[in-house]
Amino acid sequence: MKQAIISVLLPDRVGILRDVTRVVFDQGGNIVVIRQTIVHGFFSLVFTVAFARPADPAALSAALAGALEPDAAVTVRPFAKPPPTPLPAGPTYVVTTHGPDRPGTVYGISQFLVDRGINIIDWTVEGEHDDVVYIAEVVLPPEADFRQVQADFRAEMARRGLRASICHQNIFRATSEIGAIHNLLSGN
Amino acid sequence: MIAHQGILDTLRMVEQENLDVRTVTLGINLNVCAGRDPDAMVRAVYDRIVALAGCHVAFCDEVSAKYGLPIVNKRIAISPASILLEGHSVETAVKLAQALDRAAAAVRIDLLGGFSALVHKGITPGERTLLEALPQALAQTGRICASINVGTTRAGMNVDAIRLAARQIIATAQATRAQRGFGAAKIVVFANMPEDNPFMAGAMLGAGEPECVINVGVSGPGVVKRAIDRLLARYPDATLDRIAEEIKHTAFRVTRTGELIGREVAGRLNVPFGVVDLSLAPTPRVGDSVGEIYQAMGVERVGAPGTTTAVMLLNDAVKKGGAFASSAVGGLSGAFIPVMEDHALSGAVERGDLTLEKLEAMTAVCSVGLDMILLPGGTTEACLAGIIMDEAAIGISTRKTTGVRVIPVPDAALGDRVDFGGLFGAGVVTAPACPQGAETFVGRGGHIPAPIHALIN
């Protein structure tokens, strides 16, 4: 394989990224895109690698497993280019819900979004006093009736006892970034 | 990816701290409607406003929904109506005001500003016609706001115009006696009037402005107050420079929301975006008060010594934050102190903590002037003219905008309570400590020359 996508999951400790990237370097790979997060003490890493010469996925997986703890979960998949999936290419909005932490909330939100062809590109949860706040960046289909989606979402979440909003991402970028506003607008 | 804390902070500002866009004001130049035939002129004005502003409210509502940010008011500012009245009668001026009122209603606008005359150096016949029509025009309409510019740093002060303005304010209050003189709440007398001010009652589209333009007024006193509260909760001994820094950062964020909304609405209307006026404009609601900001800083009783300094600190920090946030800052941009519209200021006047004289001192460092102040029904023309002259003197001398919007409430006495309702608020009647004694000075009239620092060419 000339390119691979690799995921690693294991309890967090100092040096995981160093150990993983040393294996990649030893195998002649160059990391292209990398993203990491930590959830409840578990370190998760996803990255893509390009190889100058064809590499063996099994050998790479074994090398990574050997460099990490026995309970580390390692996945190596070859790919040539990202799979062509019919993702929406519309504007990016930010979905938020506030309310008590109950089972099924994430499922309910994601079901609502999927039913309308809305793709989630980022998702996180934050604690706020006794409530939890779900924050998702989503992409609406260009043909979506935003105001209808917004009204339906608020109504659906209200039935679940949650305050909810969907706002275009630029309102958050405007208040958090320092770039010119007209650049924000021309970028969408 | 957007920082999650930034998202939470922005939502908190909107949902809990009353962050909103106070006004998106569409400026429309009406000079093309001028003509000798009164009926044709009035008809042209109506048609032009309806044609250009027909989608204004709908677009504002769409943008508000898109960003989850309330747009409280959608308004129109026109080029000075006095230009249309050259060669016309007072009767035509009233017809013009009525046509403007109908046009505003047709496009779902609650207030339209620009029934205005710029008379800082002299008065043309059309400007005199407008001023003479004010009592009838404002009594027979509900949506029209008037403004008069009586002085500039470069031109000096037109005392004759001030005397006429004072007379017409009193006459307008009398003409709207049934509403406790409410008509006077829709007249502002300015010195150094800005030509791109989106806020009522002083909104107007100046001579140097585009044919059509969107100007935005942001607000956010509640946001600033809560930011100070959080700072002081974390650092109870925070010094005033730290408070100023906190206000500056908050003003930056508030200003950028205004520019975002303004540019988007302007784009949909296919007109240029003009300015964002980053004035902190309070409403009578608790939590949306400029007076509360001074209290949060530590001025427990607004009006106490130190209050003027608090105004200066706030006004300056707001301007600095806004200036970095946007290259399109204009209008008044600072801190308003409209007494009736701010429960903390109104309460301070009611308790006697905040006097007219202290308010005048505060106007030397705030962004406007004596605003929404109730005066006794017996206020004389000379007294009111003197109040306007003093306020104009501050503006002319300090090279800033100052304004006077006072309501001599018919039949009301000192201490009487008046409630206009809604955003106009409530308060008690106050008066100058010494309301008489300058009649001879005011009565001399004439024109006070520009101050020496105006001779800069």
Side-chain angles (χ1 to χ4, degrees):
Chain A
M1 71 181 173
K2 294 278 283 186
Q3 292 183 80
I5 182 162
I6 300 168
S7 74
V8 172
L9 174 69
L10 72 163
D12 193 22
R13 62 166 169 81
V14 174
I16 296 173
L17 188 63
R18 187 269 320 268
D19 294 345
V20 169
T21 54
R22 182 170 58 202
V23 171
V24 171
F25 177 69
D26 290 345
Q27 298 276 326
N30 180 46
I31 292 172
V32 180
V33 177
I34 187 165
R35 191 136 177 215
Q36 78 159 66
T37 189
I38 296 169
V39 178
H40 267 209
F42 279 82
F43 177 95
S44 171
L45 182 68
V46 180
F47 58 102
T48 56
V49 184
F51 296 94
R53 295 184 301 278
D56 175 20
L60 179 59
S61 182
L64 284 167
L68 302 170
E69 287 82 338
D71 59 347
V74 176
T75 303
V76 178
R77 287 183 56 177
F79 80 95
K81 59 182 180 181
T85 51
L87 296 174
T92 302
Y93 285 77
V94 174
V95 170
T96 61
T97 65
H98 292 66
D101 188 12
R102 292 193 184 115
T105 299
V106 178
Y107 170 67
I109 297 170
S110 57
Q111 181 67 59
F112 176 93
L113 299 173
V114 169
D115 286 346
R116 288 153 184 81
I118 298 169
N119 188 40
I120 300 168
I121 57 174
D122 191 43
W123 182 281
T124 191
V125 59
E126 302 270 347
E128 194 174 73
H129 308 300
D130 294 332
D131 288 344
V132 292
V133 184
Y134 291 104
I135 303 172
E137 288 181 48
V138 302
V139 177
L140 269 64
E143 68 278 9
D145 179 348
F146 166 68
R147 294 183 76 171
Q148 189 61 53
V149 169
Q150 189 179 51
D152 292 348
F153 185 64
R154 284 180 177 151
E156 172 65 23
M157 293 303 115
R159 276 194 288 276
R160 293 171 174 270
L162 301 171
R163 284 187 292 123
S165 71
I166 303 182
C167 305
H168 193 280
Q169 64 165 346
N170 279 350
I171 188 68
F172 304 107
R173 294 184 64 191
T175 53
S176 306
E177 300 174 5
I178 60 171
I181 292 294
H182 52 76
N183 290 347
L184 279 186
L185 290 170
S186 61
N188 286 279
Chain B
M1 191 186 307
I2 307 163
H4 297 143
Q5 191 56 49
I7 292 173
L8 294 176
D9 288 347
T10 303
L11 289 173
R12 188 194 61 235
M13 288 194 296
V14 175
E15 294 175 355
Q16 299 172 26
E17 300 172 2
N18 297 318
L19 174 66
D20 54 46
V21 170
R22 194 51 49 90
T23 181
V24 176
T25 302
L26 174 62
I28 302 176
N29 190 308
L30 295 178
N31 292 352
V32 71
C33 304
R36 302 293 293 180
D37 180 342
D39 292 335
M41 181 269 287
V42 166
R43 196 164 49 246
V45 163
Y46 178 91
D47 291 345
R48 182 166 169 78
I49 290 173
V50 171
L52 292 172
C55 296
H56 181 45
V57 171
F59 286 161
C60 284
D61 289 344
E62 285 177 11
V63 172
S64 174
K66 177 177 177 180
Y67 292 115
L69 191 67
I71 299 175
V72 179
N73 299 300
K74 302 93 181 176
R75 288 171 171 166
I76 293 174
I78 60 168
S79 48
S82 63
I83 295 169
L84 300 172
L85 294 172
E86 297 297 345
H88 289 287
S89 64
V90 169
E91 183 188 8
T92 301
V94 176
K95 282 184 180 174
L96 174 61
Q98 291 168 333
L100 292 168
D101 203 48
R102 287 195 305 276
V107 298
R108 297 190 289 143
I109 293 289
D110 67 335
L111 291 175
L112 180 151
F115 200 74
S116 307
L118 311 185
V119 292
H120 40 274
K121 209 165 184 180
I123 305 180
T124 68
E127 289 160 349
R128 189 172 295 280
T129 297
L130 183 139
L131 294 175
E132 289 177 352
L134 280 179
Q136 285 185 72
L138 295 181
Q140 294 178 27
T141 60
R143 300 165 193 264
I144 304 306
C145 292
S147 50
I148 310 160
N149 195 53
V150 295
T152 69
T153 299
R154 296 301 299 269
M157 186 191 306
N158 187 343
V159 180
D160 292 332
I162 289 175
R163 293 171 62 201
L164 178 55
R167 190 180 315 143
Q168 296 307 85
I169 289 170
I170 292 171
T172 301
Q174 292 292 340
T176 53
R177 176 187 293 265
Q179 296 87 42
R180 309 219 65 185
F182 181 61
K186 293 188 284 183
I187 304 175
V188 192
V189 183
F190 279 111
N192 291 326
M193 181 182 192
E195 299 193 341
D196 52 7
N197 167 27
F199 284 104
M200 297 297 166
M204 182 267 294
L205 186 74
E209 295 290 306
E211 185 185 27
C212 269
V213 65
I214 284 288
N215 294 318
V216 170
V218 298
S219 188
V223 180
V224 172
K225 193 260 183 185
R226 293 286 290 273
I228 296 171
D229 286 345
R230 278 193 298 277
L231 174 75
L232 295 179
R234 198 167 174 194
Y235 306 104
D237 298 325
T239 54
L240 292 174
D241 49 311
R242 285 199 72 172
I243 291 175
E245 189 71 10
E246 191 69 27
I247 294 170
K248 190 173 73 174
H249 283 269
T250 305
F252 170 85
R253 304 178 78 179
V254 170
T255 304
R256 286 171 62 82
T257 63
E259 183 177 346
L260 177 69
I261 296 292
R263 286 194 183 278
E264 179 113 10
V265 173
R268 291 178 187 226
L269 283 168
N270 197 28
V271 303
F273 172 69
V275 301
V276 54
D277 183 325
L278 49 97
S279 293
L280 293 182
T283 67
R285 282 185 297 178
V286 172
D288 201 21
S289 156
V290 170
E292 287 180 15
I293 296 174
Y294 307 137
Q295 291 169 332
M297 287 184 200
V299 180
E300 291 164 12
R301 294 175 63 170
V302 176
T307 304
T308 305
T309 305
V311 178
M312 183 205 77
L313 185 160
L314 175 64
N315 203 52
D316 182 67
V318 165
K319 285 181 191 295
K320 284 172 177 167
F324 182 59
S326 173
S327 298
V329 171
L332 297 158
S333 288
F336 291 173
I337 48 173
V339 174
M340 291 182 72
E341 297 173 357
D342 187 310
H343 79 91
L345 298 178
S346 180
V349 169
E350 191 165 359
R351 285 189 299 275
D353 290 349
L354 187 56
T355 64
L356 201 61
E357 285 69 26
K358 185 67 174 180
L359 281 162
E360 184 181 296
M362 292 159 68
T363 68
V365 294
C366 80
S367 67
V368 197
L370 297 173
D371 197 8
M372 289 303 287
I373 295 170
L374 299 164
L375 297 177
T379 302
T380 64
E381 183 186 316
C383 174
L384 182 49
I387 290 171
I388 297 170
M389 287 170 67
D390 285 350
E391 197 57 30
I394 291 171
I396 291 168
S397 186
T398 59
R399 306 182 218 191
K400 70 181 281 290
T401 299
T402 50
V404 174
R405 181 165 55 146
V406 294
I407 304 97
V409 184
D411 308 320
L414 201 62
D416 285 358
R417 185 164 185 80
V418 175
D419 188 346
F420 287 145
L423 293 176
F424 288 94
V428 299
V429 174
T430 186
C434 178
Q436 294 174 320
E439 291 79 3
T440 304
F441 177 70
V442 172
R444 293 187 190 283
H447 177 267
I448 297 176
I452 186 68
H453 54 61
L455 303 178
I456 57 175
N457 290 332

